[in-house]
Amino acid sequence: MTRSPPHHAGRIILGAQEEAAKHDLLLLMLNTGGDPELERKEIELLLQRQVTI
């Protein structure tokens, strides 16, 4: 289940995405909810796909 951010947070995220796009960048956000195991898994998946951070 995906949680929608509060309205003001959504606008901030959209603004960040638009600004990134102006510089040919992609904004990628992950939320682990403070779970270190989930964080490890997400980082591993990014590295497997050769995403540079």
Side-chain angles (χ1 to χ4, degrees):
M1 180 170 133
T2 303
R3 279 196 283 166
S4 297
H7 183 66
H8 64 280
R11 291 193 342 238
I12 292 169
I13 293 167
L14 286 175
Q17 286 177 317
E18 291 169 359
E19 192 61 29
K22 289 178 187 177
H23 302 279
D24 295 323
L25 298 171
L26 173 68
L27 178 67
L28 176 66
M29 299 183 351
L30 304 168
N31 181 359
T32 64
D35 181 337
E37 180 60 19
L38 181 55
E39 181 177 345
R40 185 196 63 74
K41 288 177 182 178
E42 288 180 349
I43 290 171
E44 183 61 33
L45 287 171
L46 291 171
L47 292 173
Q48 286 175 6
R49 289 165 177 78
Q50 300 179 342
V51 174
T52 57
I53 50 176

